[in-house]
């Protein structure tokens, strides 16, 4: 069957990855979480002392950028996990510390340049679902199916709060909401590849959709693209 490229973009914590993972599994496609790649670079910068408070030591990070090797491997449950230079960092990249440092890292042109090259390589055989902020606009402007996901900031903060709680991280809801709103602002207003809906993307507000309803809707869209 013909394989396509599916780009899923949207705000943080709007359920993109659940949607993209579910869709990839259903179609037998590869799933790539591009946000995990920006998070892995952020973790690398934190681990190597390339932050001075909130300020990034840009020259030092730039000089080491080619030492960063990011890959994905499926765990025993078939879920993709992120590896940074051979270390499984799936848990470490999801902490609030990384979340609150990732936006300025993702705004650096040299970081985006190198990650976009790697992302395009991952999609050169098609059969891929990638989620992020600039997948339909920059990484795969010719993707056959583009989805732009939205949901209110409060609903997204609640989802992140529930997610972190399950993982044993107890952050206040207000702190998480503040982080969500701040990241939205930085993601939409940065100079390089800001988050925006591609002209040919289909907008999907999933505030009131269940995961199953969402998946059913997406599978129908894919079928219509392949037919
Ligand atoms: O989707 P996420 O919250 O895990 O993404 C982490 C950060 O990376 C987020 O602040 C935006 C950034 N990002 C990006 O700039 N471009 C992408 N394609 C994916 C994520």
């Amino acid at each position: 069957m013909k394989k396509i490229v599916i780009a899923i973009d949207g705000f943080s914590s709007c359920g993109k990855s659940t949607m993209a993972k579910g869709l990839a599994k259903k179609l037998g496609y590869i799933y790539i979480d591009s946000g995990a790649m920006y998070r892995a670079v952020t973790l690398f910068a934190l681990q190597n002392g390339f932050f001075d408070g909130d300020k990034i030591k840009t020259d030092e990070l730039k000089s080491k950028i080619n030492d960063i090797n990011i890959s994905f491997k499926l765990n025993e449950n078939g879920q993709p996990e992120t590896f940074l230079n051979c270390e499984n960092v799936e848990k470490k990249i999801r902490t609030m510390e990384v979340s609150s440092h990732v936006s300025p890292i993702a705004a650096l042109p040299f970081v985006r340049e190198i990650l976009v090259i790697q992302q395009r390589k991952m999609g050169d055989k098609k059969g891929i679902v990638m989620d992020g902020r600039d997948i339909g606009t920059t990484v795969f402007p010719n993707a056959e199916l583009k989805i732009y996901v939205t949901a209110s900031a409060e609903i997204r903060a609640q989802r992140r709060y529930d997610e972190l709680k399950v993982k044993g991280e107890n952050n206040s809801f207000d702190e998480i909401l503040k982080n969500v709103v701040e990241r939205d602002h930085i993601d939409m207003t940065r100079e390089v590849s800001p988050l925006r809906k591609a002209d040919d993307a289909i907008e999907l507000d999933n505030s009131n959709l269940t995961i199953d309803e969402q998946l059913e809707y997406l599978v129908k869209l894919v079928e219509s693209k392949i037919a």
Side-chain angles (χ1 to χ4, degrees):
M1 204 195 286
K2 180 185 157 198
K3 289 200 165 180
I4 63 171
V5 172
I6 302 171
I8 301 188
D9 289 303
F11 292 108
S12 65
S13 307
C14 64
K16 293 186 305 293
S17 63
T18 306
M19 177 187 295
K21 255 185 235 170
L23 188 59
K25 195 168 173 205
K26 181 101 186 159
L27 301 170
Y29 280 21
I30 292 170
Y31 162 63
I32 300 292
D33 172 359
S34 69
M37 300 171 76
Y38 291 95
R39 287 173 178 272
V41 174
T42 306
L43 180 65
F44 179 89
L46 285 164
Q47 285 176 336
N48 286 279
F50 296 159
F51 274 96
D52 187 1
D54 281 344
K55 209 172 160 285
I56 305 163
K57 298 177 185 169
T58 312
D59 290 342
E60 291 179 44
L61 176 60
K62 200 171 189 173
S63 73
K64 292 279 182 235
I65 197 80
N66 290 318
D67 294 354
I68 303 179
N69 189 327
I70 302 164
S71 59
F72 296 95
K73 283 184 199 148
L74 295 182
N75 67 15
E76 63 277 9
N77 301 318
Q79 295 294 323
E81 292 188 327
T82 312
F83 284 71
L84 169 63
N85 296 336
C86 301
E87 183 197 345
N88 184 336
V89 292
E90 188 56 35
K91 279 212 181 89
K92 288 186 185 167
I93 61 168
R94 310 282 168 195
T95 59
M96 273 299 280
E97 195 193 12
V98 170
S99 295
S100 57
H101 287 87
V102 64
S103 287
I105 291 280
L108 294 171
F110 67 92
V111 171
R112 302 203 72 85
E113 202 176 303
I114 200 157
L115 293 188
V116 168
I117 291 172
Q118 293 176 16
Q119 290 155 4
R120 287 191 179 140
K121 259 192 213 146
M122 294 169 180
D124 61 4
K125 293 196 176 66
K126 302 213 174 202
I128 188 169
V129 184
M130 189 177 289
D131 71 1
R133 304 293 189 285
D134 61 338
I135 310 306
T137 51
T138 303
V139 181
F140 298 124
N142 297 322
E144 287 87 348
L145 178 61
K146 299 180 186 176
I147 308 288
Y148 186 77
V149 199
T150 62
S152 74
E154 285 73 17
I155 285 191
R156 291 183 284 123
Q158 186 65 49
R159 288 176 184 162
R160 176 72 37 127
Y161 175 84
D162 294 342
E163 225 173 78
L164 289 170
K165 204 168 171 190
V166 169
K167 290 179 188 160
E169 264 202 64
N170 285 312
N171 304 98
S172 80
F173 175 80
D174 288 347
E175 186 192 353
I176 293 172
L177 179 60
K178 188 167 165 268
N179 177 254
V180 163
V181 171
E182 264 170 22
R183 281 204 290 152
D184 286 357
H185 179 73
I186 300 179
D187 291 348
M188 284 190 297
T189 54
R190 68 173 176 232
E191 264 178 43
V192 192
S193 287
L195 168 65
R196 69 169 181 83
K197 177 179 168 294
D199 295 338
D200 51 350
I202 295 167
E203 189 162 337
L204 171 60
D205 182 338
N206 70 1
S207 302
N208 299 308
L209 283 183
T210 65
I211 291 173
D212 287 345
E213 287 167 344
Q214 189 171 269
L215 186 60
E216 197 183 321
Y217 169 76
L218 291 168
V219 168
K220 283 203 183 110
L221 280 180
V222 174
E223 283 168 356
S224 72
K225 293 285 171 189
I226 291 174

